[in-house]
Amino acid sequence: SDEILRLMGRRYTVNDYLTLVDKLRAKMPNIALTTDIIVGFPNETEEQFLKTLEVVDKVNYASAFTFIYSPRSGTPAARMVDNISDEVKSERFNRLKKLVDKQTADDAKKYLDQELYILVDGASKKDRTVLSGYTESDKVVHFKGPRSLIGTIVKVKIIEARTFALKGELISAAN
């Protein structure tokens, strides 16, 4: 909500933010947006929290890092009375996480059966024949292949959509 953004020292409003999202999506319809979200900031009301859920629902993030507020020394918020109970913070966090996890899982499904270029950044610690890399939209993809592909761009067909990573099959090294 605008009130919590102001308390957090942000210099923008919800409308400013949503306008920016609309501009980004107009230029890049397939853009993958991510964010960090804090719940339980001092003085946050249920209505203000519901506004956070509304924004998350509107933006439909590819993923989000969610946190329960905790004071950090040296910040203005650390001097505020932390008047939100741990139980309320946890309950709000769980509601937010449920929405974000659904959006992340739904976003992953759109990659099924697609052939994507992947920048291979390393091998799995558990299975050295499994490599991992990233799509242009920063999705993690795991696939089997030789370690010699590390540092290259390869084409991979996505065969399984998981919430936090995709599973693929190597098609070819990119040109």
Side-chain angles (χ1 to χ4, degrees):
S1 70
D2 290 338
E3 299 87 6
I4 295 298
L5 288 170
R6 194 170 27 260
L7 283 172
M8 293 176 81
R10 302 302 192 265
R11 294 186 178 120
Y12 56 87
T13 65
V14 169
N15 188 58
D16 295 337
Y17 182 81
L18 292 175
T19 298
L20 180 59
V21 168
D22 289 343
K23 287 179 182 178
L24 290 167
R25 290 228 161 101
K27 294 277 187 189
M28 298 178 69
N30 294 323
I31 193 168
L33 297 175
T34 64
T35 191
D36 294 352
I37 304 170
I38 298 171
V39 299
F41 194 81
N43 301 303
E44 178 187 63
T45 65
E46 177 66 12
E47 293 75 24
Q48 291 165 332
F49 172 71
L50 291 174
K51 288 180 182 180
T52 298
L53 292 181
E54 286 175 23
V55 170
V56 171
D57 192 51
K58 281 182 187 175
V59 175
N60 195 19
Y61 294 102
S63 66
F65 296 98
T66 55
F67 306 92
I68 293 175
Y69 169 79
S70 61
R72 303 236 171 144
S73 63
T75 65
R79 294 187 299 273
M80 295 178 182
V81 175
D82 187 0
N83 59 352
I84 310 295
S85 72
D86 289 343
E87 293 78 21
V88 168
K89 288 178 186 179
S90 291
E91 188 270 336
R92 288 179 184 169
F93 176 81
N94 290 335
R95 285 164 47 202
L96 174 64
K97 186 170 178 349
K98 182 177 178 182
L99 176 58
V100 167
D101 286 351
K102 181 186 180 317
Q103 289 180 346
T104 302
D106 289 347
D107 182 71
K109 289 176 190 169
K110 73 183 182 188
Y111 295 96
L112 267 176
D113 298 321
Q114 287 192 31
E115 295 180 1
L116 304 173
Y117 289 106
I118 309 299
L119 173 59
V120 185
D121 76 338
S124 168
K125 292 175 184 167
K126 295 178 184 176
D127 182 346
R128 302 313 269 175
T129 65
V130 174
L131 300 176
S132 68
Y134 291 88
T135 67
E136 290 177 341
S137 58
D138 203 35
K139 286 285 186 188
V140 175
V141 179
H142 300 290
F143 60 96
K144 288 198 176 257
R147 292 177 54 96
S148 61
L149 294 176
I150 295 171
T152 68
I153 296 174
V154 298
K155 194 178 229 183
V156 172
K157 181 175 181 178
I158 304 305
I159 60 170
E160 189 178 330
R162 300 174 181 164
T163 301
F164 299 108
L166 305 171
K167 183 177 179 183
E169 291 179 341
L170 179 65
I171 296 172
S172 66
N175 295 331

